[in-house]
Amino acid sequence: MADHAFVTLATNDTYVKGALVLGSSLRKHNTTKKLAVLITPQVSDSVRKVLDKVYDNVRVVDVLDSEDSAHLALMERPELGVTLTKIHCWTLTEYTKCVFMDADTMVLSNVDELFEREELSAAPDPGWPDCFNSGVFVYSPSTETYNQLLQMASEKGSFDGGDQGLLNSFFNTWATKDINKHLPFIYNLSSVCIYSYLPAFKAFGANAKVVHFLGKVKPWNFTYDSKTKTVKGDGHDKTLIHPEFLNLWWDTYTSRILSLLTEHGVVKDVSIGLKAEEITEAVSQMSIAAPAPPPLSSEERRERWEQGQVDYMGEDSYENIKKKLDSYLE
């Protein structure tokens, strides 16, 4: 329907990379809905031209920042104050119903059925399930709702300093009133929560429809070797993101987005796009593997476990733990 749209937000050129992959994944899975992206004046003109290739509607909006350093410090995420800009999505009144998706999400299949839901439908947040996660939600644009959200933000603020706290305070009956507004977790699968309940992921993960790269580390913080189709850590902990989803994000970026960025001469940076003559050199640089770190002693491993630093993709993987338990039982 022409009056239905998927909506996302990019407050800078870095998050545009995520928005482009999200939009491309929606196109890849044959959505019949319009695609709209809200951007701030901080997004460069050259990048806007690339967004025009993927999105039907590119709308420039003012930045709304909570500047709530105290609450943001509790999450150790000072950059999230600008996420209040998200409430501009209620101003897209040319649409009757929308699905908002954060720029760090990616669809794994067609999710047009979300438009059968009503405002405000969302999945539970893995950190506090009586709150919904505002990375994916169904809503109805409304100037009245927008003004009410603005008023609440100015008078009461947000309990987490970002959009999620504000929206949960505004739509405060979500947890208790109507179970039909609770989206299944497969529509907002947190990539950082997979290993907190690994048996469930093994049982139900194949049904995932939307993956959400929650947390400080995003797919675009890594680099990609297109020859070997492997992701390089660049000092970031790859165990924070499931490798299957991380590789899929980069495969989408390199196969569907990189050529658009190259065509428009976007920033000379490996992680956002390269000019044609730079691609070969950059890929060769990306292929240089860092030396393997020395193995940890058993005492060092125990200390890391106690600090919550578990090597889920290495020695502390599910399979390795299972082997060790089996050997004890034998």
Side-chain angles (χ1 to χ4, degrees), residues 3 32 246 295 314:
D3 60 349
T32 61
L246 185 58

Side-chain angles (χ1 to χ4, degrees), residues 123-126 183-191 193-194 208-210:
D125 185 82
L183 296 181
F185 193 57
I186 58 171
Y187 287 103
N188 193 347
L189 178 68
S190 166
S191 63
C193 293
I194 288 168
K209 290 177 174 285
V210 180

Side-chain angles (χ1 to χ4, degrees), residues 12 18 33 51 61 96 129 167 248 260 297 326:
N12 54 49
K33 311 302 181 182
L51 284 168
V61 296
T96 59
L167 294 177
L248 181 58
L260 293 176
S297 67
D326 289 341

